[in-house]
Amino acid sequence: MPALSMGGSSKYGILFSLLTAWMLAMGTVIEAGGGRRERHNILLILTDDQDLVLGGMTPMKKTQVLIGQSGASFSNAFAVTPLCCPSRSSILTGSYPHNHLVRNNSLDGNCSSQLWQKFQEPFTFPVYLQKRGYQTFYAGKYLNQYGDPQVGGVQHIPMGWTYWLGLVGNSKYYNYTLSANGHEEKHGEHYEEDYLTDLLTNRSLEFLQKLSQPPFLMVLAPPASHSPWTAAPHYKSAYSTIKAPRTGSFNVHGKDKHWLVRQAKTPMSNTSIEFLDNVYRERWQTLLSVDDMVAKVLGQLESLGLMSNTYVFYTSDHGYHVGQFSLPIDKRQLYEFDIRVPLLVRGPGIKPNQTRLEPILNIDLGPTFLDIAGINVSQTPMDGQSFLPLLVNKTHNSSWRSDFLVEYTGEGSGGRDPKCPSLGPGVSQCFPDCVCEDAFNNTYACVRTLSPINLQYCEFADTQAFVEVYNMTSDPHQLVNIAKTVDPSLLEQMNQRLIKFQACSGASCRS
Ligand SMILES: *[C@@H]1O[C@H](CO)[C@@H](O)[C@H](O)[C@H]1NC(C)=O
Ligand SMILES: *[C@@H]1O[C@H](CO)[C@@H](O)[C@H](O)[C@H]1NC(C)=O
Ligand SMILES: *[C@@H]1O[C@H](CO)[C@@H](O)[C@H](O)[C@H]1NC(C)=O
Ligand SMILES: *[C@@H]1O[C@H](CO)[C@@H](O)[C@H](O)[C@H]1NC(C)=O
Ligand SMILES: *[C@@H]1O[C@H](CO)[C@@H](O)[C@H](O)[C@H]1NC(C)=O
Ligand SMILES: *[C@@H]1O[C@H](CO)[C@@H](O)[C@H](O)[C@H]1NC(C)=O
Ligand SMILES: *[C@@H]1O[C@H](CO)[C@@H](O)[C@H](O)[C@H]1NC(C)=O
Ligand SMILES: *[C@@H]1O[C@H](CO)[C@@H](O)[C@H](O)[C@H]1NC(C)=O
Ligand SMILES: *[C@@H]1O[C@H](CO)[C@@H](O)[C@H](O)[C@H]1NC(C)=O
Ligand SMILES: *[C@@H]1O[C@H](CO)[C@@H](O)[C@H](O)[C@H]1NC(C)=O
Ligand SMILES: *[C@@H]1O[C@H](CO)[C@@H](O)[C@H](O)[C@H]1NC(C)=O
């Protein structure tokens, strides 16, 4: 009997080709050992700036039913760095910032830079999935500097994407430019034609409708709930009585915290608070269109018979604060409100209506997608860990991590902020009332451990080598920095753990 070959003219060859085509159509692959494994579809919905701690999931009523109650809700999901471009780079590469080297939202901090394109993009999760036969679709915000003429403009289609609809630059709702498979597509400000969240929904419905060959990977990255917080017309009057929540740290002076936080004026002025309340309400309004997106896309999956074979993930790039420690509105801080994110997952083998407590990181998404596709994560540079075994209940969580690293490099301008000169050079994001949200010396690394102790330990790279430590059991709002009172041997132990984490890569980040 002749050996089977793809291109052979023998009847066995033809038979084999037909069989292969059939199996591809059925979304099945032949494993090396001869076993068969179904290749499930993957959908990731990634929002911008959506917090967990301040109630950011409250407007997502349909999403909570369609994903959370139909699967698992993770109450301890974290971003390993609380800023858009570094966090999105962590999601794409499955790695900590000290390994992907994207430091901030600028080109010179490697955000979508040529060096990123050359050294990191080839190792992003879509590349592995595409090689494995997935049709890959990206629609929405990518990395903040995407589309800049200095790094290839709209012609640059990041590696790994079969269908590409990338937003040029940072989140917007109207008056934006897209790269549609490398071609410039400009949009104005007509709701019916241009509202970005809805446009992304519509294009993803079309993609699914036309999809001829599963499996697929689809990433939808809407602009909500990022500034400029432009709601769809029919949602502009929603939540008219909602105010920013007065959490335990709202309008509280962080007097024992690092330099930048100590500058925040407390109490905040009434006009600042009014501004914060308006922003908070507008954030929720923009999220209502994302909730519609989830319902429509999942409805389409259902009607096309794809739902039972698709894993759906819902998360955000990082959290957000609105008045906590009298910081107006932003992310970039080490506290829970900025590093915690929503995470909901449904899919084959996942028991409905579960609440999970294991700490899951944004760097675990890539490894989990690879695992779903049958790719061995240990053979990639990724630092994260697949949580598929936890989802489908194959392993007990005793071997899961109990601590992790959070790291951030502060952004600051070279000169003084012309509107707020008294603050000295090297600060940024000074609004409103000249309260600055970032500085070059807001550069820190933390170990966040959840068990057996529930603690956060952070070191700053500033002139004071400032240390912040929080007992998360007794002080969930992080009001009291215990760095000066806690047992010094614990500080020593945490410092050693931090040094190990900051040097980790691949498997050593998982142990
Ligand atoms: C940017 O990335 C390149 C290669 O990945 C690296 O050599 C360089 O040091 C990075 N830049 C910064 C500022 O980390
Ligand atoms: C869109 O651009 C037009 C023309 O420049 C401008 O008048 C309008 O205010 C912009 N709308 C939004 C929502 O940014
Ligand atoms: C999306 O599709 C709906 C239904 O066809 C349509 O009413 C709406 O105007 C579309 N929106 C955009 C921004 O394309
Ligand atoms: C600010 O608001 C508080 C509470 O609503 C009120 O008691 C206070 O008088 C206001 N202050 C000023 C200066 O308007
Ligand atoms: C999930 O639990 C909620 C509240 O306990 C219940 O109302 C809902 O019907 C459950 N959903 C599913 C899919 O089991
Ligand atoms: C592990 O699962 C058990 C229930 O089986 C739960 O009580 C425990 O909190 C979980 N541990 C973590 C770290 O989530
Ligand atoms: C994955 O790769 C690692 C490193 O090459 C290897 O030790 C391990 O056995 C592999 N796992 C599986 C399930 O093939
Ligand atoms: C999941 O695992 C836990 C503990 O190992 C067990 O009690 C439970 O019955 C399992 N659930 C399913 C659906 O297999
Ligand atoms: C971004 O990072 C680069 C490299 O560390 C640095 O040179 C640049 O000043 C940073 N940009 C801002 C706005 O802080
Ligand atoms: C941080 O930078 C600011 C602005 O340059 C400076 O005034 C401040 O002293 C620095 N703080 C520390 C602790 O390094
Ligand atoms: C944290 O607080 C809890 C509850 O008050 C206490 O039992 C524990 O000893 C504290 N841990 C540390 C490290 O201070």
Side-chain angles (χ1 to χ4, degrees), residues 99-103 108-110 113 115-116 119-120:
N99 288 326
H100 64 58
L101 302 171
V102 177
R103 302 300 187 179
D108 60 3
N110 267 334
S113 67
L115 292 170
W116 154 268
F119 294 109
Q120 305 297 332

Side-chain angles (χ1 to χ4, degrees), residues 457-468:
Y457 170 87
C458 302
E459 292 180 6
F460 279 80
D462 63 10
T463 55
Q464 302 177 324
F466 203 77
V467 175
E468 292 189 32

Side-chain angles (χ1 to χ4, degrees), residues 364-375:
D364 297 332
L365 293 167
T368 304
F369 301 162
L370 266 52
D371 199 6
I372 290 170
I375 299 160

Side-chain angles (χ1 to χ4, degrees), residues 117-255:
Q117 291 173 12
K118 187 161 173 211
F119 294 109
Q120 305 297 332
E121 239 162 33
F123 300 99
T124 54
F125 66 76
V127 174
Y128 294 100
L129 294 186
Q130 194 181 44
K131 277 189 200 140
R132 196 74 174 162
Y134 276 71
Q135 303 285 306
T136 60
F137 174 91
Y138 194 99
K141 174 172 167 183
Y142 183 62
L143 302 170
N144 300 44
Q145 299 299 330
Y146 171 73
D148 189 297
Q150 292 175 65
V151 292
V154 295
Q155 287 79 32
H156 172 71
I157 301 174
M159 281 182 76
W161 300 105
T162 323
Y163 301 95
W164 176 250
L165 190 70
L167 175 67
V168 172
N170 205 355
S171 282
K172 277 183 169 185
Y173 300 79
Y174 291 116
N175 285 352
Y176 54 86
T177 301
L178 297 169
S179 164
N181 294 317
H183 300 286
E184 183 180 84
E185 189 184 303
K186 282 188 176 289
H187 282 267
E189 53 163 354
H190 296 292
Y191 172 69
E192 288 76 16
E193 286 143 45
D194 303 314
Y195 190 65
L196 182 57
T197 307
D198 292 358
L199 181 128
L200 300 175
T201 304
N202 289 357
R203 298 287 171 92
S204 62
L205 299 180
E206 278 168 37
F207 166 77
L208 290 171
Q209 188 73 53
K210 289 186 188 149
L211 178 78
S212 55
Q213 206 183 65
F216 68 83
L217 159 72
M218 185 152 108
V219 179
L220 302 179
S225 48
H226 197 281
S227 63
W229 315 293
T230 319
H234 49 287
Y235 290 137
K236 282 203 160 138
S237 54
Y239 303 121
S240 58
T241 60
I242 289 291
K243 291 183 169 185
R246 274 43 173 175
T247 64
S249 57
F250 183 85
N251 209 1
V252 168
H253 187 214
K255 55 184 183 301

Side-chain angles (χ1 to χ4, degrees), residues 64-65 68-71 352-354:
Q64 292 194 41
V65 172
Q69 289 181 22
S70 306
N353 248 359
Q354 313 177 52

